[in-house]
Amino acid sequence: MWIFLNDRFVTREQAVVSVFDHGFLYGDGVYETLRSYGRRVFMLHKHLARLERSASLIGLAIPIPEKDWPELLQEALERNGLEDAYLRITVSRGEGEIGLDPMLCPRPTVVIVAKPLPQYPPHLFDRGVSLALVSVRRNLSSALSPQIKSLNFLNNILAKQEADRAGAFDAVMLNAQGFLTECSTSNLFFVRDGRLCTPSAEAGILDGITRETILLLAGEQAIPVEQGLYTPAVLRQAEECFLTNTTMEVMPVREIDKFPVGSGLPGPITTRLRSLFRTNLSRFLD
Ligand code: PDD
């Protein structure tokens, strides 16, 4: 396995980072998860723009210019002999003395990992997954904005652990006001009275790139779309529900807190959007 570390590709054994890296010490850094389909990367420029936004929101200057990323990612795919792959870019504050001051770290640490795409078992797509509404609240936007895709992922990890304990595939988190936000690594959609609904950015979510793609496709197909602030009671009445992220694309949800969603099978709008995503994919590959 070849991993890009700072300025060159090294082997997995050589790809080591200091115990004084502030990414390790404080979760001080940002990341992006990308996906390639036959070496073409899904929404590459949107992911790079989000990486840049996350970094700028924490005052981190990424040492690699945006124009160099496409080539580096291609090299990561080629060196590892990968086609359909999972790509992760991590940029941490870098190595520095212990202390919170970012000035202690003269040079950010940059890592690209490319590996085969983890496959979700097909029955999850056919039958849908289960969700649990958890007690862990999504980070308050004014404390640690969910728009920063940061290495500090404990909020989501705690939510996921709670879902695991409830025997669910993933967790639905509420915000401090009790409105729906998102799941641990995905955005939430549901259908109510034939309208496709998803929590708005105002609820405090990461504005997912797959979410944006689905909203675009739904708009093109004249499926009524609504973004807003929703209570869990609204979700419980949903006719359909699904999750989106880069690795899952569109994942149907069959039950929430052990209660079936609609008929308990992937609904017509979910199935249609999943297939539209696939048939339109080439438009979104860079
Ligand atoms: N997660 N919300 C959260 C909290 C996420 O971490 C992610 C992505 C999303 C969906 O974003 P996108 O559609 O751009 O993948 C929503 C990635 C997959 C991860 O953390 O690995």
Side-chain angles (χ1 to χ4, degrees):
M1 185 181 206
W2 289 95
I3 293 169
F4 181 79
L5 177 62
N6 293 327
D7 52 4
R8 70 186 74 118
F9 281 89
V10 296
T11 62
R12 189 189 175 117
E13 293 67 36
Q14 293 165 327
V16 288
V17 172
S18 165
V19 294
F20 291 99
D21 194 290
H22 282 210
F24 175 70
L25 289 174
Y26 302 115
D28 186 356
V30 295
Y31 81 99
E32 272 299 316
T33 299
L34 304 90
R35 171 178 179 166
S36 72
Y37 294 81
R39 294 214 178 146
R40 290 178 68 200
V41 179
F42 175 68
M43 293 289 216
L44 173 60
H45 295 286
K46 296 260 180 192
H47 279 282
L48 294 176
R50 192 170 68 186
L51 180 71
E52 188 53 51
R53 181 187 75 188
S54 296
S56 90
L57 286 169
I58 66 161
L60 174 66
I62 298 178
I64 295 181
E66 191 167 334
K67 67 169 181 35
D68 292 357
W69 283 110
E71 215 173 296
L72 284 174
L73 293 168
Q74 277 309 316
E75 189 170 345
L77 294 173
E78 279 161 29
R79 279 184 183 256
N80 290 293
L82 295 166
E83 298 275 332
D84 292 347
Y86 171 104
L87 291 151
R88 178 173 157 135
I89 301 176
T90 307
V91 186
S92 81
R93 191 75 65 180
E95 184 179 354
E97 265 317 305
I98 292 179
L100 300 189
D101 187 356
M103 297 296 277
L104 294 167
C105 309
R107 196 183 68 168
T109 302
V110 180
V111 176
I112 302 172
V113 171
K115 59 173 195 149
L117 193 76
Q119 298 294 334
Y120 290 96
H123 75 263
L124 295 185
F125 292 105
D126 297 342
R127 299 192 33 230
V129 297
S130 60
L131 298 181
L133 268 150
V134 295
S135 65
V136 173
R137 297 288 166 119
R138 189 72 176 106
N139 279 331
L140 198 63
S141 294
S142 55
L144 176 56
S145 170
Q147 300 238 331
I148 303 171
K149 198 156 172 51
S150 94
L151 298 184
N152 199 314
F153 222 59
L154 268 181
N155 180 212
N156 314 49
I157 292 166
L158 293 176
K160 179 78 164 82
Q161 284 177 328
E162 196 177 330
D164 287 346
R165 286 194 294 272
F169 172 82
D170 206 350
V172 180
M173 286 177 277
L174 305 179
N175 67 15
Q177 288 80 41
F179 293 113
L180 300 169
T181 63
E182 59 186 336
C183 294
S184 66
T185 57
S186 58
N187 290 114
L188 178 71
F189 283 84
F190 58 93
V191 176
R192 201 179 49 140
D193 300 329
R195 299 174 76 77
L196 181 65
C197 306
T198 192
S200 58
E202 195 197 332
I205 57 165
L206 179 78
D207 44 349
I209 292 164
T210 323
R211 171 184 182 276
E212 189 184 324
T213 311
I214 288 297
L215 288 173
L216 176 83
L217 291 170
E220 287 175 1
Q221 296 293 314
I223 296 171
V225 173
E226 182 186 292
Q227 300 185 51
L229 297 174
Y230 304 104
T231 61
V234 172
L235 180 63
R236 287 195 195 98
Q237 291 155 10
E239 293 132 36
E240 301 180 37
C241 179
F242 63 87
L243 310 177
T244 60
N245 80 12
T246 299
T247 53
M248 297 190 294
E249 302 172 341
V250 174
M251 176 64 84
V253 173
R254 84 166 182 275
E255 60 174 43
I256 301 169
D257 285 344
K258 312 263 190 235
F259 289 100
V261 178
S263 66
L265 285 169
I269 294 185
T270 306
T271 309
R272 188 162 155 216
L273 286 168
R274 184 166 161 70
S275 104
L276 276 168
F277 184 88
R278 279 274 151 174
T279 51
N280 282 271
L281 194 56
S282 60
R283 287 167 58 191
F284 307 119
L285 302 181
D286 292 307

